[in-house]
Amino acid sequence: MLRPGSIASLFASRTLFKNGTQQLLKTRRPNADTLSMTAISASILKGNPRSALVILVMSTLSEMITELTAKKTRNYVRDMMNLDVSSVLRVNPDGSEQKVSLEEITEGDYIAVFEGEKIPADGYVMKGMASIDQSAITGEYFPVEVGSKQRVFAGTIIKAGNLMIEVEEVGDQTAVSRIVQMIEEAQEKKAPIQSYADQLSEQLVPVSFLLAVMTYVLTKSWSRVLNMLVIDYVCGIKLSTATAISASIGKAASNGALIKGGEYLEKLSKIDTAILDKTGTITKGKPIVRSIIPYDGFTELEVLKHAASAEEHSTHPIAEAIVAYASERKITLPVHDHERIKQVVGQGVKAWVDNKEVLVGNKAFLTNEKVASNGLSLMDKIDKSNNSVYVAIEHQLAGVVVIEDSIREGMKRTINQLRRNGIDEIVMITGDKQNVAEDVYRELQLDAYHSEILPHQKAEFVKHYKSAGNTVMMVGDGINDAPALAYADVGVTMGGKRTDIAVEASDLVINSDDPIMLADVIQQSKRAMDTIQQNFTITIAVNSAAILLGALGLITPTIGAAIHNAATIGVVLNSTRLLLDKERTKWRQPSASSTIYLVDSA
């Protein structure tokens, strides 16, 4: 007659019995549940329900830890990004404000958001200035300043100021919703090492049954046979690997990096070649004025104010850079004749400033306008950047404005960190001229660069490096990078200016504009793989020792079950540690009005 403890053990393990039996009938192969079911049955038949309870309780505990880690990963970002907004203030065309539910807001609506509130939709600032905590989207610790025409995202918080926002995306279409969906999809994609762990653990189940048979034949001891059944390698290998992958994806997501599956996490740990697009990745993708070189008696101030006045109403990025530089220097611009401005697409602008004809553009434009060629040739020799804007006043060359796309803060440090993480070759590809590319190549001490590359050629370079046996990571942000991102072993998009098509083609999306995140994610992937290898070693070593002790009759089945399950819990907790690791200490970039702060963002 069964004891109450035996009945309780059987009832509590009914799901395990169901799964183990179904697997055996369906595939004719035993699995981990089949082995546990056999061990529990043998314990009860032997009249030792304590062993059965130890097996059940501790194996359930290890599975709970694994599930809790996966759940925490799913909820980590979901909780952080939870809008928790039931109603919003819609601004009507007459300027009045009306409180409505979030579901009533549609694209094109204007909403008002005040200090301390969460922004409920993606959109553009139409009025106001504010300091916004965007850590939920980008992982950036410090708030950012936003103003007119700048984009803002649902789930971010206004720390100071008030905004009127034109709604672009709401509900499931917002960036925050797409991020959560991407994380959930990523957890379903297994890494090769995870599939290997699953296969290995399933293959080891028959070994446990074989050991049990051999032990009975040699010893005739049911106690030792039971030891062979309660001790196995399956749980530790399978559960700890799944937990490590899940925890790493969750940790990366909490820092603003979205890994689209365990497969790419594993590939990141093996990267030995990084190909970086220049504009928008290595550089900020925003031109600025580096210097002004005056000519033939003109002053730097004259060159700048005439160029800025001519370009004042242009939306071209270089024109905006010149006007912004004049504004920074607090220069009052001379009056220009709005009726007589002539834009020449791809070349420059002709304007009349203070009743003088001003030409601002490239060398070919000024040559066509009959500006003396000797001055143009001289300036061409002085300035070899090929990123210069020529300025002529009354058909006399006045000077050049030298433009550059500055390298991102932290990029040099990122390159060094990538090398420390095992990336042997770092290559830059760009459509820019050779001398521009060479300056960046030398400043960052890269291994190689390829300049004047057309968009379709970027993919060819990726294929070339892969064909040489390299594991290649491609980093870009634009439409022209999408083919190369798709061909790479791991395609990465980075920064707030990335395009949707680049995000779709990539395997890793970094929301932050801080390039050091790239090195952090690779380091995270290596930690994950190292942890998985540690878990393999611990599981095999501890359980092999327990099997040997059990076969020699030196431990009881209850102790054997306790050792086996304690090892499983230990390696699962070791994997969970990846989700709890402290983040890198971040430096705030200094500005003219700020001091440097060292902040631990953990």
Side-chain angles (χ1 to χ4, degrees):
M1 185 175 176
L2 291 177
R3 299 176 184 177
S6 300
I7 295 172
S9 297
L10 286 171
F11 179 77
S13 56
R14 61 192 183 283
T15 303
L16 186 146
F17 271 75
K18 179 182 177 181
N19 294 339
T21 304
Q22 285 180 344
Q23 174 72 13
L24 193 59
L25 294 174
K26 184 177 180 180
T27 64
R28 306 283 183 182
R29 289 177 64 90
N31 64 1
D33 287 341
T34 310
L35 185 61
S36 297
M37 174 187 76
T38 305
I40 290 171
S41 301
S43 297
I44 291 171
L45 290 173
K46 187 177 176 292
N48 186 7
R50 285 183 301 172
S51 297
L53 285 171
V54 170
I55 296 168
L56 184 62
V57 171
M58 297 189 76
S59 63
T60 301
L61 180 60
S62 58
E63 288 178 4
M64 282 175 60
I65 294 171
T66 298
E67 179 56 34
L68 283 171
T69 302
K71 187 175 181 181
K72 186 172 184 180
T73 296
R74 287 192 296 270
N75 292 339
Y76 204 82
V77 176
R78 185 181 288 276
D79 291 345
M80 183 171 57
M81 296 180 175
N82 181 23
L83 289 181
D84 193 27
V85 177
S86 57
S87 62
V88 296
L89 278 179
R90 183 168 60 195
V91 181
N92 298 319
D94 62 2
S96 62
E97 295 177 354
Q98 179 185 7
K99 183 175 283 190
V100 298
S101 67
L102 183 58
E103 290 73 21
E104 294 180 60
I105 296 297
T106 59
E107 181 183 350
D109 282 349
Y110 285 68
I111 59 173
V113 188
F114 299 96
E115 186 172 316
E117 295 181 346
K118 275 190 179 181
I119 296 174
D122 292 0
Y124 289 89
V125 176
M126 302 308 294
K127 186 178 179 183
M129 293 281 293
S131 176
I132 298 182
D133 177 1
Q134 293 191 150
S135 58
I137 299 290
T138 66
E140 294 172 292
Y141 184 80
F142 288 97
V144 297
E145 305 297 323
V146 299
S148 180
K149 303 301 181 183
Q150 288 185 277
R151 197 173 187 203
V152 291
F153 300 96
T156 58
I157 303 169
I158 297 182
K159 290 294 186 181
N162 306 310
L163 297 177
M164 184 169 73
I165 299 165
E166 181 180 3
V167 174
E168 182 191 32
E169 304 283 2
V170 291
D172 292 340
Q173 300 304 311
T174 60
V176 63
S177 296
R178 293 197 298 270
I179 288 170
V180 171
Q181 182 182 357
M182 197 178 296
I183 294 167
E184 291 175 344
E185 289 174 353
Q187 285 192 289
E188 302 299 321
K189 298 177 182 178
K190 288 188 176 182
I193 195 168
Q194 193 174 353
S195 299
Y196 170 74
D198 291 348
Q199 292 171 8
L200 177 63
S201 62
E202 296 300 329
Q203 290 168 358
L204 288 173
V205 171
V207 174
S208 295
F209 281 109
L210 180 61
L211 286 173
V213 172
M214 291 175 60
T215 300
Y216 179 75
V217 170
L218 293 173
T219 67
K220 306 298 182 183
S221 169
W222 280 108
S223 179
R224 298 186 188 188
V225 168
L226 190 56
N227 270 323
M228 300 303 102
L229 295 174
V230 299
I231 303 169
D232 68 81
Y233 304 97
V234 178
C235 297
I237 291 175
K238 190 172 183 177
L239 294 179
S240 65
T241 303
T243 304
I245 298 293
S246 179
S248 295
I249 290 174
K251 182 63 176 178
S254 71
N255 290 333
L258 306 176
I259 305 171
K260 292 186 178 179
E263 173 187 357
Y264 306 112
L265 179 72
E266 183 175 351
K267 283 182 178 178
L268 278 166
S269 71
K270 299 175 181 177
I271 295 295
D272 55 30
T273 301
I275 301 176
L276 310 178
D277 180 55
K278 173 183 165 286
T279 305
T281 301
I282 290 178
T283 63
K284 295 178 179 179
K286 183 179 181 180
I288 61 171
V289 175
R290 186 179 76 189
S291 62
I292 296 173
I293 305 174
Y295 176 73
D296 198 22
F298 287 93
T299 66
E300 182 181 321
L301 179 61
E302 285 178 302
V303 174
L304 176 58
K305 72 179 183 179
H306 282 84
S309 182
E311 298 277 25
E312 188 175 10
H313 298 296
S314 173
T315 57
H316 191 283
I318 290 179
E320 291 178 344
I322 294 172
V323 174
Y325 186 61
S327 177
E328 285 174 19
R329 295 185 56 173
K330 301 188 181 340
I331 293 173
T332 301
L333 300 184
V335 177
H336 64 262
D337 189 341
H338 296 276
E339 302 296 327
R340 300 176 68 188
I341 291 178
K342 180 183 177 183
Q343 293 278 354
V344 181
V345 178
Q347 293 194 33
V349 61
K350 179 191 289 187
W352 277 259
V353 179
D354 276 349
N355 296 316
K356 297 176 184 177
E357 184 183 272
V358 176
L359 302 171
V360 183
N362 58 28
K363 182 180 176 182
F365 176 57
L366 269 67
T367 300
N368 291 338
E369 293 290 332
K370 311 301 182 187
V371 174
S373 60
N374 57 340
L376 294 175
S377 300
L378 178 62
M379 294 307 293
D380 201 25
K381 291 177 182 178
I382 294 174
D383 173 46
K384 297 182 178 297
S385 70
N386 276 356
N387 272 357
S388 297
V389 177
Y390 290 76
V391 181
I393 301 174
E394 291 290 288
H395 284 80
Q396 285 186 297
L397 181 65
V400 295
V401 180
V402 183
I403 302 292
E404 70 173 3
D405 183 6
S406 59
I407 293 173
R408 287 180 184 271
E409 290 88 351
M411 183 53 72
K412 177 70 173 178
R413 183 184 178 206
T414 298
I415 298 297
N416 292 335
Q417 289 293 330
L418 289 175
R419 295 195 191 283
R420 289 193 184 99
N421 283 310
I423 296 183
D424 302 318
E425 193 166 10
I426 302 176
V427 180
M428 179 183 71
I429 55 178
T430 178
D432 274 351
K433 302 291 184 183
Q434 179 178 346
N435 48 3
V436 176
E438 188 171 355
D439 287 344
V440 176
Y441 156 77
R442 293 187 184 283
E443 183 172 347
L444 295 179
Q445 298 181 339
L446 304 175
D447 296 296
Y449 73 92
H450 305 282
S451 58
E452 301 180 52
I453 301 301
L454 297 175
H456 71 274
Q457 293 176 314
K458 292 182 180 182
E460 295 301 320
F461 275 103
V462 171
K463 288 193 282 186
H464 166 73
Y465 279 98
K466 284 184 68 176
S467 67
N470 300 306
T471 305
V472 178
M473 173 178 70
M474 170 70 195
V475 188
D477 70 330
I479 292 174
N480 59 357
D481 299 321
L485 293 168
Y487 276 113
D489 291 294
V490 179
V492 183
T493 54
M494 184 175 73
K497 295 183 179 179
R498 64 194 186 279
T499 60
D500 288 344
I501 192 169
V503 170
E504 288 297 322
S506 63
D507 310 305
L508 166 63
V509 180
I510 296 177
N511 291 321
S512 174
D513 282 311
D514 185 358
I516 201 66
M517 277 295 302
L518 187 62
D520 285 349
V521 173
I522 290 177
Q523 190 175 44
Q524 177 82 23
S525 70
K526 289 184 177 293
R527 279 202 300 266
M529 295 305 118
D530 288 345
T531 299
I532 289 171
Q533 293 299 330
Q534 288 173 12
N535 293 340
F536 272 46
T537 302
I538 293 169
T539 299
I540 291 171
V542 172
N543 286 292
S544 294
I547 286 173
L548 179 61
L549 293 173
L552 295 173
L554 298 177
I555 58 174
T556 65
T558 302
I559 294 174
I563 292 173
H564 158 65
N565 286 289
T568 300
I569 293 170
V571 292
V572 168
L573 288 173
N574 190 39
S575 294
T576 304
R577 201 167 43 82
L578 291 166
L579 191 61
L580 306 176
D581 281 348
K582 287 188 176 182
E583 300 171 24
R584 176 191 297 276
T585 299
K586 299 180 182 178
W587 282 93
R588 181 179 182 178
Q589 293 297 334
S591 65
S593 60
S594 68
T595 53
I596 299 177
Y597 300 91
L598 183 62
V599 178
D600 188 348
S601 58

